[in-house]
Amino acid sequence: MGIPVGVSACVIGQKVRFDGGHKRNIFVEEQLVDYFDFQPICPEVGIGLPVPRPTIRLMKTEDGEERLVGTKDATKDFTDEMLIFSDKKIPSLNQLRGYVVCAKSPTCGMERVKLYMENGNTIPGGTAGVFTRKLMEAMPWLPVEEDGRLQDPYLRENFVFRVFTLNDFYNCMGNEPTRAKLVKFHSRYKLVLMAHSPVAYKSLGRMVAEIANWDLDEFYHSYRLQFMEAIKNRANRRNNTNVLMHLQGYFKRDLDKQQKKELADLIMDYRIGNMPILAPLTLINHHLQQNPDVYLQTQVFLNPYPQELKLRYAM
């Protein structure tokens, strides 16, 4: 059974769009499907709209409200139906580890969805689709990404990594979170936090150090939110280089002079953009096999998801 992930139905190839077509995403349907158990939802079909159907859009009224209305006939207002559908559907999605939404959709778009004024002009910056906005408000820790943005290798890697990480978090907690489970999880992700957010690395470290003073339920929810927010930051070359050099330090007594130089050169080549991060990581994993270290072997940074996804090839 794959990792449960929500998806806009059109993105997985279902012909539910206003024109009777779909927005099939090859990466989602042909690569992620091997690891994710996609659960398709079309909010527009969910409120009873037919396929095909007249187009709808988001409009900001003079009162400042955002309404979901017909493009050609703004008197046809679907806002209340969509809000009711969202309020009923979203509580059933707590098992999800991520969600892929359809870009630009007035119901599913994550950002920059066109928002019209009553005179037909658009408001700069746009807005979020009605359903997706409600989803992100209800589950702010959930990884959400748009289908189009998955074409960017860095955004793609970050989204998939967050999905695998949230799944790992829930698996580690099991049916009953404990302080020991939370501390163990945090320990495995120290290098990840160092790479994604040095600030969060320090603040979450202090938080975990004081876990005995927290109410367990309060800690669980606060930690989950702050941790997932931290890894939403893309790990840049500078931070990744710091982590790689940190890893290098664990082998100072195990490697000879030539081996140390080889690893240091690979790390520098990555730092200046001549090599993908996969190059120094592959060598570090090789040295780790030759010189086992219990702490390093638990670090998710080294192997965050299946290699077959090839997400680090362009990083």
Side-chain angles (χ1 to χ4, degrees):
M1 194 69 174
I3 300 172
V5 174
V7 64
S8 293
C10 60
V11 172
I12 204 71
Q14 294 187 8
K15 297 180 178 180
V16 294
R17 284 175 60 77
F18 69 93
D19 58 0
H22 59 74
K23 278 193 66 179
R24 178 175 176 267
N25 184 287
I26 294 176
F27 177 68
V28 168
E29 194 169 18
E30 294 186 359
Q31 296 185 52
L32 292 184
V33 74
D34 291 334
Y35 304 95
F36 294 173
D37 176 20
F38 284 110
Q39 301 181 20
I41 299 170
C42 176
E44 294 173 28
V45 171
I47 65 171
L49 295 180
V51 179
R53 57 185 174 273
T55 59
I56 57 178
R57 66 183 185 182
L58 287 166
M59 183 181 72
K60 192 167 188 176
T61 67
E62 292 181 355
D63 296 332
E65 282 190 284
E66 291 184 16
R67 307 297 296 181
L68 185 65
V69 300
T71 299
K72 294 183 177 180
D73 184 358
T75 64
K76 293 183 177 179
D77 192 315
F78 306 99
T79 311
D80 293 340
E81 291 96 323
M82 187 57 66
L83 292 174
I84 291 171
F85 171 81
S86 301
D87 288 340
K88 287 183 178 179
K89 187 67 177 179
I90 290 172
S92 70
L93 304 179
N94 281 327
Q95 84 285 359
L96 296 184
R97 275 52 167 166
Y99 208 113
V100 181
V101 299
C102 179
K104 302 180 181 179
S105 164
T107 55
C108 293
M110 184 181 77
E111 59 183 20
R112 298 187 302 277
V113 177
K114 285 186 177 180
L115 177 61
Y116 293 84
M117 294 185 286
E118 293 186 50
N119 63 9
N121 293 330
T122 57
I123 297 175
T127 186
V130 179
F131 178 80
T132 298
R133 184 192 302 119
K134 295 284 288 184
L135 174 70
M136 293 189 297
E137 288 173 353
M139 304 169 68
W141 61 86
L142 187 72
V144 178
E145 190 53 271
E146 291 183 334
D147 58 331
R149 284 165 49 99
L150 289 176
Q151 305 311 312
D152 183 303
Y154 294 97
L155 296 176
R156 174 190 299 182
E157 189 276 340
N158 183 259
F159 172 70
V160 174
F161 166 65
R162 287 185 288 139
V163 171
F164 273 93
T165 298
L166 185 59
N167 186 61
D168 187 22
F169 178 77
Y170 286 137
N171 287 342
C172 288
M173 296 304 107
N175 296 325
E176 184 178 357
T178 66
R179 289 178 174 80
K181 290 177 182 177
L182 286 159
V183 170
K184 184 177 180 180
F185 174 87
H186 180 78
S187 178
R188 293 173 52 237
Y189 281 86
K190 283 186 176 180
L191 298 186
V192 163
L193 286 170
M194 190 184 296
H196 285 261
S197 176
V199 173
Y201 169 78
K202 294 178 181 178
S203 63
L204 286 173
R206 290 192 295 267
M207 184 177 172
V208 170
E210 298 172 357
I211 190 172
N213 301 325
W214 283 72
D215 171 80
L216 181 57
D217 187 62
E218 182 181 353
F219 183 95
Y220 171 88
H221 289 97
S222 181
Y223 180 87
R224 177 181 61 179
L225 179 60
Q226 292 185 52
F227 177 85
M228 294 304 298
E229 189 66 29
I231 65 172
K232 187 186 293 185
N233 297 308
R234 182 173 68 84
N236 57 41
R237 285 185 182 272
R238 183 184 67 256
N239 290 344
N240 275 334
T241 299
N242 289 339
V243 173
L244 292 171
M245 293 176 68
H246 182 77
L247 286 165
Q248 182 185 27
Y250 280 86
F251 300 103
K252 60 185 179 182
R253 293 188 179 88
D254 302 311
L255 307 183
D256 60 31
K257 185 177 180 180
Q258 180 58 36
Q259 289 174 318
K260 290 177 182 178
K261 183 179 184 305
E262 180 185 28
L263 180 53
D265 288 347
L266 270 181
I267 292 174
M268 183 52 62
D269 280 340
Y270 163 72
R271 176 69 179 87
I272 62 178
N274 290 339
M275 287 281 186
I277 193 172
L278 194 63
L281 281 177
T282 298
L283 186 55
I284 287 171
N285 276 312
H286 168 74
H287 288 316
L288 186 57
Q289 288 181 342
Q290 302 299 314
N291 307 280
D293 181 280
V294 175
Y295 173 72
L296 292 188
Q297 287 170 327
T298 68
Q299 290 304 300
V300 174
F301 179 85
L302 293 170
N303 297 288
Y305 35 67
Q307 293 184 8
E308 291 77 10
L309 286 169
K310 301 178 181 180
L311 294 173
R312 278 177 161 171
Y313 280 45
M315 304 297 291

